Amino acid sequence: MTTFVFRNQTVEAFLGYDDVTYSGYDDISMIPSEVDRYIWFYQVSVNADSAQLAQEIQSYSDKLDIVLSGIDSNKPFVIFSLVNLFSVRLTGDETAVGQAIAAFNNHASALAVSHPNVKWVDFTEFTSRYDADTLVNWKYYLLSQTLLNPKLARDFHAWWRRLEGELALQRKKCLILDLDNTLWGGVLGEDGIDGIKLGGDYPGKAFSYWQRSILQLARNGVILAVCSKNNEADVDEAWRQNPFMVLKREHFSSLRINWQDKATNIREIATELNIGLDSMVFVDDNPTERELIKQMLPQVEVPDFPDKPYELMPFFKLLVEKYFRIYAVTSEDRAKTEQYRANAMRKAEQSHFADLESYLYSLDMQLDIIPADEHNLSRISQMTQKTNQFNLTTRRYTEADVHQHLDQGWRVYCMSVSDRFGDNGITAAIFLEPVDDTTINIDSLLLSCRILGKGIEEAFIKTIFNLLRLDGYRQLTADFLPTAKNGQTADFYDRMGMSCDHTDDAGAKHYTMALSNMFEIKNYYNIRVL
Amino acid sequence: MTIEEKVLEIMREVFDMDEISTDASQKNCERWDSLHHLTLASELEDAFDIELEPEEIAEMTDFSRVVALLAAKVK
């Protein structure tokens, strides 16, 4: 990468010679176009006439504008802030130079907001490490026009290398937060809503400041998520009832408040928000959890968490500087948080519930198991033709075939499924072929994809098992015949407690099971056998 | 390490050259320009723990003068 540096002093010792070329001193008449990057690195001149010096500094802003309008807006332009390395104030109220420097710095940092290619570097991050006598070496200044002490060149190189890395970094998009001892002091499950440390005196005060700071990140386009081992209902109550809570449910675009391992949760958050793991930062007070994420998800950034609540302030500064410093904020960025949240809600109705079971309860599912008859026969036939994924044997039957099987004494059932969101209609079917008085074979079993994920397939088959047992059957056989599409059912019968007697070369699995007991079925399904 | 060896090592580093001869001077060594000259002075000051006066820095135009100057200062 080649760099062109606009400068008013000799800064070669700092920015180097390799692939770097320099303007004349305070010379913007020539702006080369064939370089990859531009740097503006001016020093405050030495001039005992402070009014004149202030005027000179004011002219830098105009020159900066001219340069900016003359370069390719796709090329990075790094602007160093001006630092007054050596000031002689003849009178106590002499402020012109200081004001001119501040005005230039305000102007330059505003350019960084309005121009995506402009990055503003606060040079005091470097100079504030040294005292005035170390910063300036008058001998070298007078020999070669370099006020900044060349003996600091080595330190400067190290600092600049790190900063260049940060400038090139993609800003992170999402901050994932733990709750207990991270967003507030104490453990909600033990200390209670009013026992956690938040607000009031120290240490609660530190957590309040921390939450307010994070809220500002969210307002500037950083997506917030929660990943916490807690009972979601407890957290919800704390969000609603603790008067000091700044960050509440509505500020988080994705929530994983459960007892599942955090690596799985973070992967889910990434999927839900549709952003890469490499744009996430995970903050947790527990070193074990941090280590787990570092090991399992090395793409996620995992900073160390401060030991003391009063260290949260510098920790926030570190988070901003390292991961979230925003060089340009668009209104789109600010709206992003809201969009992500809405999408996440649509995607995951589950996230409103403490666990899957209460979700399933809330669905108010009605399963009607209906023997095949004239009314549903064409639908059953159609399902055998169309269902590919949840279909154990993928046998296709015409209406005439179904008729014929019924005439041969087969038992054919279908199932109609509805819940509080609507009626899915007939979405499952099973074909059972009697082998003898006590043995029956499952010829076909299929469910429509749209009802999967709620355990309905298990409730369906176990209800059928129970029906068969009540009708005197004691032995069951079944097959799984693999296709390109039905991989998800390969171990379905195993999970239902059947034993696989043999698997043939083509991958087909043959099962048997004794119908010796009735099966228990979860009570969040209302099941009717018609 | 003699003064000569130490100066050669610093020059190799400052001028970023693999080899440098004891004949090197500002005239025959392209990398020994005014900017590198100051870096050289600064590095010599640190390495020998001395202060070089601007007049002395101006006189260090070739390798033998540098060594002579340092020999006098270090004593």
Side-chain angles (χ1 to χ4, degrees):
Chain A
M1 182 164 76
T2 56
T3 302
F4 186 80
V5 180
F6 296 94
R7 52 78 181 267
N8 64 344
Q9 289 193 12
T10 310
V11 291
E12 280 88 334
F14 300 96
L15 292 173
Y17 306 89
D18 298 332
D19 293 323
V20 184
T21 46
Y22 291 86
S23 73
Y25 295 114
D26 192 21
D27 174 7
I28 59 156
S29 61
M30 209 272 293
I31 303 174
S33 57
E34 64 281 4
V35 297
D36 303 317
R37 176 179 72 164
Y38 301 90
I39 293 177
W40 178 283
F41 188 23
Y42 267 47
Q43 319 294 313
V44 177
S45 303
V46 176
N47 186 340
D49 183 341
S50 56
Q52 202 178 48
L53 180 58
Q55 256 177 14
E56 184 186 326
I57 293 167
Q58 281 158 21
S59 78
Y60 296 161
S61 290
D62 297 334
K63 287 172 181 163
L64 188 58
D65 288 342
I66 294 168
V67 167
L68 188 58
S69 64
I71 65 170
D72 184 340
S73 64
N74 291 315
K75 289 182 179 175
F77 185 22
V78 180
I79 304 173
F80 279 73
S81 71
L82 270 179
V83 177
N84 200 1
L85 296 176
F86 177 76
S87 71
V88 181
R89 289 181 5 183
L90 295 177
T91 60
D93 58 356
E94 206 292 302
T95 57
V97 172
Q99 282 175 3
I101 292 172
F104 174 86
N105 288 337
N106 287 336
H107 181 67
S109 56
L111 290 178
V113 174
S114 55
H115 294 68
N117 62 322
V118 174
K119 306 228 162 140
W120 185 71
V121 171
D122 182 357
F123 190 40
T124 61
E125 276 181 23
F126 177 76
T127 58
S128 61
R129 303 170 179 179
Y130 307 97
D131 61 35
D133 290 337
T134 312
L135 278 173
V136 177
N137 187 315
W138 288 104
K139 182 170 73 192
Y140 286 100
Y141 174 69
L142 294 167
L143 280 170
S144 76
Q145 284 284 313
T146 177
L147 195 57
L148 194 61
N149 189 348
K151 291 189 194 297
L152 300 178
R154 252 173 235 206
D155 287 5
F156 182 94
H157 293 152
W159 173 77
W160 175 235
R161 249 196 309 279
R162 184 181 61 80
L163 197 76
E164 272 186 307
E166 286 178 20
L167 291 175
L169 270 187
Q170 194 105 42
R171 294 295 94 189
K172 302 296 177 187
K173 293 179 182 158
C174 176
L175 176 61
I176 303 173
L177 296 150
D178 174 46
L179 296 175
D180 289 333
N181 281 317
T182 299
L183 273 192
W184 52 71
V187 176
L188 182 59
E190 293 169 11
D191 303 326
I193 291 171
D194 299 314
I196 55 172
K197 295 180 185 73
L198 186 63
D201 294 332
Y202 184 83
K205 200 181 235 177
F207 287 100
S208 291
Y209 171 89
W210 163 237
Q211 286 203 6
R212 277 200 296 276
S213 305
I214 295 172
L215 180 60
Q216 287 308 311
L217 274 185
R219 289 190 174 146
N220 283 286
V222 174
I223 302 160
L224 303 182
V226 169
C227 180
S228 164
K229 288 186 171 151
N230 245 313
N231 289 323
E232 186 161 358
D234 296 349
V235 174
D236 241 342
E237 215 180 332
W239 273 333
R240 280 198 309 269
Q241 293 181 9
N242 186 306
F244 298 105
M245 203 62 80
V246 177
L247 289 171
K248 298 179 184 179
R249 175 180 277 275
E250 62 264 30
H251 299 114
F252 298 100
S253 300
S254 178
L255 302 174
R256 285 296 180 280
I257 300 170
N258 54 38
W259 304 93
Q260 185 170 248
D261 77 272
K262 294 203 173 185
T264 305
N265 277 330
I266 289 175
R267 270 197 219 98
E268 286 180 15
I269 291 172
T271 310
E272 185 177 314
L273 299 175
N274 196 24
I275 58 178
L277 287 168
D278 58 359
S279 37
M280 302 181 134
V281 178
F282 173 60
V283 169
D284 195 313
D285 67 294
N286 184 334
T288 314
E289 300 288 8
R290 294 202 300 270
E291 193 53 35
L292 173 82
I293 301 308
K294 283 185 200 170
Q295 303 257 341
M296 302 278 292
L297 307 173
Q299 310 95 310
V300 176
E301 290 286 349
V302 186
D304 287 344
F305 192 78
D307 291 331
K308 305 287 180 199
Y310 57 76
E311 292 166 339
L312 284 167
M313 288 77 156
F315 178 65
F316 178 75
K317 180 173 150 78
L318 177 138
L319 280 182
V320 170
E321 287 175 357
K322 210 161 167 198
Y323 307 117
F324 297 112
R325 181 177 283 164
I326 299 145
Y327 289 101
V329 184
T330 61
S331 52
E332 203 178 298
D333 285 333
R334 293 202 181 92
K336 230 183 255 166
T337 303
E338 184 50 39
Q339 287 167 12
Y340 276 108
R341 202 168 64 85
N343 281 343
M345 278 172 71
R346 273 195 287 275
K347 254 190 201 169
E349 178 79 34
Q350 272 115 308
S351 68
H352 290 281
F353 298 91
D355 54 56
L356 187 67
E357 295 228 329
S358 51
Y359 164 68
L360 292 174
Y361 258 116
S362 76
L363 285 177
D364 199 11
M365 284 181 280
Q366 179 71 47
L367 312 185
D368 289 340
I369 294 170
I370 310 157
D373 62 23
E374 291 306 318
H375 303 293
N376 54 35
L377 200 131
S378 71
R379 169 65 185 153
I380 292 171
S381 159
Q382 184 197 38
M383 283 180 60
T384 70
Q385 303 290 340
K386 287 176 28 181
T387 307
N388 295 315
Q389 295 185 340
F390 200 101
N391 194 336
L392 277 296
T393 51
T394 322
R395 294 187 176 117
R396 313 297 193 188
Y397 293 128
T398 63
E399 281 186 52
D401 293 332
V402 181
H403 259 299
Q404 197 188 341
H405 290 321
L406 288 171
D407 291 345
Q408 289 164 344
W410 287 27
R411 287 160 166 255
V412 179
Y413 295 97
C414 63
M415 179 171 63
S416 175
V417 177
S418 63
D419 60 28
R420 68 185 170 97
F421 293 112
D423 190 346
N424 287 294
I426 291 173
T427 39
I430 187 165
F431 287 62
L432 299 153
E433 178 190 15
V435 179
D436 56 44
D437 284 351
T438 57
T439 307
I440 197 160
N441 177 54
I442 303 175
D443 173 85
S444 294
L445 170 64
L446 47 105
L447 271 89
S448 164
C449 275
R450 67 189 135 125
I451 60 164
L452 293 178
K454 298 170 205 155
I456 289 174
E457 58 278 26
E458 183 174 342
F460 179 49
I461 194 83
K462 287 187 172 167
T463 304
I464 297 292
F465 290 163
N466 290 345
L467 281 179
L468 293 172
R469 187 179 147 78
L470 289 173
D471 285 349
Y473 289 101
R474 291 293 176 269
Q475 186 75 18
L476 193 70
T477 60
D479 304 314
F480 162 73
L481 307 179
T483 69
K485 290 185 176 163
N486 71 352
Q488 64 167 284
T489 62
D491 65 345
F492 177 69
Y493 286 141
D494 302 87
R495 283 189 281 119
M496 294 304 108
M498 301 175 81
S499 51
C500 179
D501 293 342
H502 71 279
T503 304
D504 66 25
D505 294 343
K509 294 157 87 173
H510 306 282
Y511 295 87
T512 54
M513 182 171 70
L515 290 170
S516 39
N517 297 301
M518 295 294 279
F519 286 89
E520 195 186 331
I521 296 164
K522 300 280 189 198
N523 56 359
Y524 32 77
Y525 308 100
N526 306 306
I527 299 174
R528 285 188 299 186
V529 180
L530 303 175
Chain B
M1 195 186 278
T2 64
I3 290 179
E4 284 87 347
E5 285 167 347
K6 207 166 167 182
V7 171
L8 282 176
E9 187 182 287
I10 291 168
M11 283 185 161
R12 275 197 297 272
E13 197 186 317
V14 169
F15 301 149
D16 194 18
M17 292 164 71
D18 291 336
E19 259 328 305
I20 194 154
S21 83
T22 51
D23 299 333
S25 73
Q26 285 184 339
K27 285 207 175 66
N28 66 20
C29 178
E30 202 185 325
R31 301 294 303 245
W32 196 341
D33 58 16
S34 61
L35 287 167
H36 284 96
H37 187 65
L38 288 172
T39 310
L40 174 65
S42 163
E43 292 291 328
L44 291 172
E45 284 185 335
D46 288 351
F48 290 91
D49 194 20
I50 50 166
E51 280 289 327
L52 292 167
E53 291 305 313
E55 294 80 2
E56 293 170 328
I57 294 174
E59 283 168 13
M60 308 188 312
T61 52
D62 60 36
F63 174 77
S64 51
R65 281 169 189 249
V66 172
V67 172
L69 180 70
L70 290 173
K73 296 273 285 191
V74 172
K75 251 192 295 180

